[in-house]
PDB file of all heavy atoms in Angstrom:
ATOM      1  N   LEU A1748     -33.051 -12.643 -38.960  1.00 94.00           N
ATOM      2  CA  LEU A1748     -33.110 -13.586 -40.069  1.00 94.00           C
ATOM      3  C   LEU A1748     -31.717 -13.843 -40.645  1.00 94.00           C
ATOM      4  O   LEU A1748     -31.394 -14.970 -41.031  1.00 94.00           O
ATOM      5  CB  LEU A1748     -34.051 -13.044 -41.153  1.00 94.00           C
ATOM      6  CG  LEU A1748     -34.409 -14.003 -42.288  1.00 94.00           C
ATOM      7  CD1 LEU A1748     -35.142 -15.222 -41.755  1.00 94.00           C
ATOM      8  CD2 LEU A1748     -35.268 -13.291 -43.333  1.00 94.00           C
ATOM      9  N   HIS A1749     -30.886 -12.820 -40.698  1.00 94.00           N
ATOM     10  CA  HIS A1749     -29.500 -13.015 -41.144  1.00 94.00           C
ATOM     11  C   HIS A1749     -28.727 -13.891 -40.157  1.00 94.00           C
ATOM     12  O   HIS A1749     -27.897 -14.712 -40.574  1.00 94.00           O
ATOM     13  CB  HIS A1749     -28.802 -11.656 -41.299  1.00 94.00           C
ATOM     14  CG  HIS A1749     -29.109 -10.956 -42.575  1.00 94.00           C
ATOM     15  ND1 HIS A1749     -30.329 -10.380 -42.831  1.00 94.00           N
ATOM     16  CD2 HIS A1749     -28.354 -10.741 -43.699  1.00 94.00           C
ATOM     17  CE1 HIS A1749     -30.324  -9.821 -44.027  1.00 94.00           C
ATOM     18  NE2 HIS A1749     -29.131 -10.035 -44.585  1.00 94.00           N
ATOM     19  N   ARG A1750     -28.993 -13.736 -38.861  1.00 94.00           N
ATOM     20  CA  ARG A1750     -28.314 -14.595 -37.894  1.00 94.00           C
ATOM     21  C   ARG A1750     -28.725 -16.050 -38.092  1.00 94.00           C
ATOM     22  O   ARG A1750     -27.882 -16.971 -38.025  1.00 94.00           O
ATOM     23  CB  ARG A1750     -28.627 -14.140 -36.478  1.00 94.00           C
ATOM     24  CG  ARG A1750     -28.051 -15.061 -35.415  1.00 94.00           C
ATOM     25  CD  ARG A1750     -28.263 -14.503 -34.019  1.00 94.00           C
ATOM     26  NE  ARG A1750     -27.927 -15.496 -33.004  1.00 94.00           N
ATOM     27  CZ  ARG A1750     -26.698 -15.806 -32.625  1.00 94.00           C
ATOM     28  NH1 ARG A1750     -25.666 -15.179 -33.171  1.00 94.00           N
ATOM     29  NH2 ARG A1750     -26.482 -16.720 -31.691  1.00 94.00           N
ATOM     30  N   ALA A1751     -30.024 -16.287 -38.340  1.00 94.00           N
ATOM     31  CA  ALA A1751     -30.470 -17.657 -38.615  1.00 94.00           C
ATOM     32  C   ALA A1751     -29.817 -18.195 -39.890  1.00 94.00           C
ATOM     33  O   ALA A1751     -29.467 -19.381 -39.969  1.00 94.00           O
ATOM     34  CB  ALA A1751     -31.996 -17.684 -38.738  1.00 94.00           C
ATOM     35  N   ALA A1752     -29.653 -17.321 -40.893  1.00 95.00           N
ATOM     36  CA  ALA A1752     -28.971 -17.752 -42.119  1.00 95.00           C
ATOM     37  C   ALA A1752     -27.502 -18.049 -41.852  1.00 95.00           C
ATOM     38  O   ALA A1752     -26.944 -18.999 -42.419  1.00 95.00           O
ATOM     39  CB  ALA A1752     -29.124 -16.676 -43.190  1.00 95.00           C
ATOM     40  N   PHE A1753     -26.860 -17.254 -40.973  1.00 94.00           N
ATOM     41  CA  PHE A1753     -25.470 -17.546 -40.606  1.00 94.00           C
ATOM     42  C   PHE A1753     -25.352 -18.928 -39.976  1.00 94.00           C
ATOM     43  O   PHE A1753     -24.459 -19.717 -40.314  1.00 94.00           O
ATOM     44  CB  PHE A1753     -24.950 -16.486 -39.628  1.00 94.00           C
ATOM     45  CG  PHE A1753     -24.724 -15.128 -40.254  1.00 94.00           C
ATOM     46  CD1 PHE A1753     -24.409 -14.026 -39.461  1.00 94.00           C
ATOM     47  CD2 PHE A1753     -24.833 -14.941 -41.628  1.00 94.00           C
ATOM     48  CE1 PHE A1753     -24.198 -12.788 -40.025  1.00 94.00           C
ATOM     49  CE2 PHE A1753     -24.627 -13.701 -42.198  1.00 94.00           C
ATOM     50  CZ  PHE A1753     -24.315 -12.625 -41.395  1.00 94.00           C
ATOM     51  N   GLN A1754     -26.256 -19.226 -39.044  1.00 93.00           N
ATOM     52  CA  GLN A1754     -26.224 -20.529 -38.386  1.00 93.00           C
ATOM     53  C   GLN A1754     -26.490 -21.660 -39.374  1.00 93.00           C
ATOM     54  O   GLN A1754     -25.883 -22.728 -39.293  1.00 93.00           O
ATOM     55  CB  GLN A1754     -27.250 -20.558 -37.254  1.00 93.00           C
ATOM     56  CG  GLN A1754     -26.931 -19.595 -36.118  1.00 93.00           C
ATOM     57  CD  GLN A1754     -28.032 -19.538 -35.085  1.00 93.00           C
ATOM     58  OE1 GLN A1754     -29.136 -20.031 -35.306  1.00 93.00           O
ATOM     59  NE2 GLN A1754     -27.734 -18.924 -33.933  1.00 93.00           N
ATOM     60  N   GLU A1755     -27.380 -21.421 -40.323  1.00 93.00           N
ATOM     61  CA  GLU A1755     -27.667 -22.442 -41.333  1.00 93.00           C
ATOM     62  C   GLU A1755     -26.446 -22.689 -42.207  1.00 93.00           C
ATOM     63  O   GLU A1755     -26.147 -23.848 -42.558  1.00 93.00           O
ATOM     64  CB  GLU A1755     -28.854 -21.988 -42.194  1.00 93.00           C
ATOM     65  CG  GLU A1755     -29.309 -22.990 -43.238  1.00 93.00           C
ATOM     66  CD  GLU A1755     -29.998 -24.195 -42.618  1.00 93.00           C
ATOM     67  OE1 GLU A1755     -30.456 -24.087 -41.459  1.00 93.00           O
ATOM     68  OE2 GLU A1755     -30.070 -25.233 -43.303  1.00 93.00           O
ATOM     69  N   MET A1756     -25.722 -21.659 -42.558  1.00 93.00           N
ATOM     70  CA  MET A1756     -24.539 -21.816 -43.390  1.00 93.00           C
ATOM     71  C   MET A1756     -23.420 -22.526 -42.632  1.00 93.00           C
ATOM     72  O   MET A1756     -22.697 -23.360 -43.197  1.00 93.00           O
ATOM     73  CB  MET A1756     -24.054 -20.440 -43.880  1.00 93.00           C
ATOM     74  CG  MET A1756     -25.016 -19.745 -44.808  1.00 93.00           C
ATOM     75  SD  MET A1756     -24.517 -18.061 -45.229  1.00 93.00           S
ATOM     76  CE  MET A1756     -23.089 -18.398 -46.248  1.00 93.00           C
ATOM     77  N   VAL A1757     -23.270 -22.225 -41.346  1.00 92.00           N
ATOM     78  CA  VAL A1757     -22.201 -22.853 -40.575  1.00 92.00           C
ATOM     79  C   VAL A1757     -22.492 -24.327 -40.328  1.00 92.00           C
ATOM     80  O   VAL A1757     -21.578 -25.173 -40.339  1.00 92.00           O
ATOM     81  CB  VAL A1757     -22.004 -22.086 -39.246  1.00 92.00           C
ATOM     82  CG1 VAL A1757     -21.043 -22.833 -38.327  1.00 92.00           C
ATOM     83  CG2 VAL A1757     -21.466 -20.690 -39.523  1.00 92.00           C
ATOM     84  N   THR A1758     -23.768 -24.676 -40.113  1.00 92.00           N
ATOM     85  CA  THR A1758     -24.124 -26.080 -39.867  1.00 92.00           C
ATOM     86  C   THR A1758     -24.211 -26.906 -41.140  1.00 92.00           C
ATOM     87  O   THR A1758     -24.356 -28.130 -41.052  1.00 92.00           O
ATOM     88  CB  THR A1758     -25.473 -26.138 -39.131  1.00 92.00           C
ATOM     89  OG1 THR A1758     -26.459 -25.412 -39.890  1.00 92.00           O
ATOM     90  CG2 THR A1758     -25.364 -25.538 -37.739  1.00 92.00           C
ATOM     91  N   ASP A1759     -24.139 -26.277 -42.309  1.00 90.00           N
ATOM     92  CA  ASP A1759     -24.120 -27.030 -43.562  1.00 90.00           C
ATOM     93  C   ASP A1759     -22.731 -27.651 -43.719  1.00 90.00           C
ATOM     94  O   ASP A1759     -21.734 -26.931 -43.868  1.00 90.00           O
ATOM     95  CB  ASP A1759     -24.425 -26.089 -44.727  1.00 90.00           C
ATOM     96  CG  ASP A1759     -24.559 -26.836 -46.050  1.00 90.00           C
ATOM     97  OD1 ASP A1759     -24.339 -28.063 -46.072  1.00 90.00           O
ATOM     98  OD2 ASP A1759     -24.863 -26.172 -47.065  1.00 90.00           O
ATOM     99  N   PRO A1760     -22.591 -29.008 -43.673  1.00 88.00           N
ATOM    100  CA  PRO A1760     -21.244 -29.602 -43.655  1.00 88.00           C
ATOM    101  C   PRO A1760     -20.458 -29.344 -44.925  1.00 88.00           C
ATOM    102  O   PRO A1760     -19.253 -29.063 -44.875  1.00 88.00           O
ATOM    103  CB  PRO A1760     -21.530 -31.099 -43.448  1.00 88.00           C
ATOM    104  CG  PRO A1760     -22.925 -31.296 -43.912  1.00 88.00           C
ATOM    105  CD  PRO A1760     -23.650 -30.019 -43.622  1.00 88.00           C
ATOM    106  N   ILE A1761     -21.098 -29.415 -46.070  1.00 87.00           N
ATOM    107  CA  ILE A1761     -20.368 -29.251 -47.326  1.00 87.00           C
ATOM    108  C   ILE A1761     -19.904 -27.807 -47.490  1.00 87.00           C
ATOM    109  O   ILE A1761     -18.737 -27.534 -47.807  1.00 87.00           O
ATOM    110  CB  ILE A1761     -21.249 -29.692 -48.505  1.00 87.00           C
ATOM    111  CG1 ILE A1761     -21.625 -31.176 -48.368  1.00 87.00           C
ATOM    112  CG2 ILE A1761     -20.550 -29.435 -49.830  1.00 87.00           C
ATOM    113  CD1 ILE A1761     -22.539 -31.685 -49.446  1.00 87.00           C
ATOM    114  N   LEU A1762     -20.828 -26.852 -47.275  1.00 88.00           N
ATOM    115  CA  LEU A1762     -20.458 -25.440 -47.407  1.00 88.00           C
ATOM    116  C   LEU A1762     -19.425 -25.045 -46.361  1.00 88.00           C
ATOM    117  O   LEU A1762     -18.448 -24.354 -46.664  1.00 88.00           O
ATOM    118  CB  LEU A1762     -21.704 -24.558 -47.286  1.00 88.00           C
ATOM    119  CG  LEU A1762     -21.467 -23.045 -47.340  1.00 88.00           C
ATOM    120  CD1 LEU A1762     -20.870 -22.638 -48.662  1.00 88.00           C
ATOM    121  CD2 LEU A1762     -22.768 -22.283 -47.064  1.00 88.00           C
ATOM    122  N   SER A1763     -19.644 -25.500 -45.115  1.00 89.00           N
ATOM    123  CA  SER A1763     -18.712 -25.154 -44.052  1.00 89.00           C
ATOM    124  C   SER A1763     -17.320 -25.713 -44.337  1.00 89.00           C
ATOM    125  O   SER A1763     -16.304 -25.026 -44.166  1.00 89.00           O
ATOM    126  CB  SER A1763     -19.236 -25.671 -42.717  1.00 89.00           C
ATOM    127  OG  SER A1763     -18.316 -25.397 -41.686  1.00 89.00           O
ATOM    128  N   LEU A1764     -17.274 -26.960 -44.792  1.00 90.00           N
ATOM    129  CA  LEU A1764     -15.980 -27.557 -45.088  1.00 90.00           C
ATOM    130  C   LEU A1764     -15.294 -26.855 -46.250  1.00 90.00           C
ATOM    131  O   LEU A1764     -14.093 -26.570 -46.215  1.00 90.00           O
ATOM    132  CB  LEU A1764     -16.161 -29.044 -45.397  1.00 90.00           C
ATOM    133  CG  LEU A1764     -14.876 -29.845 -45.688  1.00 90.00           C
ATOM    134  CD1 LEU A1764     -13.925 -29.777 -44.506  1.00 90.00           C
ATOM    135  CD2 LEU A1764     -15.228 -31.281 -46.038  1.00 90.00           C
ATOM    136  N   GLY A1765     -16.065 -26.522 -47.297  1.00 89.00           N
ATOM    137  CA  GLY A1765     -15.476 -25.830 -48.445  1.00 89.00           C
ATOM    138  C   GLY A1765     -14.946 -24.460 -48.081  1.00 89.00           C
ATOM    139  O   GLY A1765     -13.841 -24.071 -48.500  1.00 89.00           O
ATOM    140  N   MET A1766     -15.715 -23.705 -47.289  1.00 89.00           N
ATOM    141  CA  MET A1766     -15.250 -22.374 -46.912  1.00 89.00           C
ATOM    142  C   MET A1766     -14.083 -22.458 -45.935  1.00 89.00           C
ATOM    143  O   MET A1766     -13.182 -21.618 -45.970  1.00 89.00           O
ATOM    144  CB  MET A1766     -16.402 -21.586 -46.283  1.00 89.00           C
ATOM    145  CG  MET A1766     -17.527 -21.252 -47.257  1.00 89.00           C
ATOM    146  SD  MET A1766     -16.958 -20.472 -48.787  1.00 89.00           S
ATOM    147  CE  MET A1766     -16.112 -19.042 -48.161  1.00 89.00           C
TER     148      MET A1766
END
Side-chain angles (χ1 to χ4, degrees):
L1748 189 62
H1749 279 72
R1750 175 174 170 78
F1753 289 172
Q1754 295 174 347
E1755 183 71 20
M1756 294 174 69
V1757 172
T1758 55
D1759 186 356
I1761 299 177
L1762 177 62
S1763 177
L1764 182 59
M1766 293 309 302

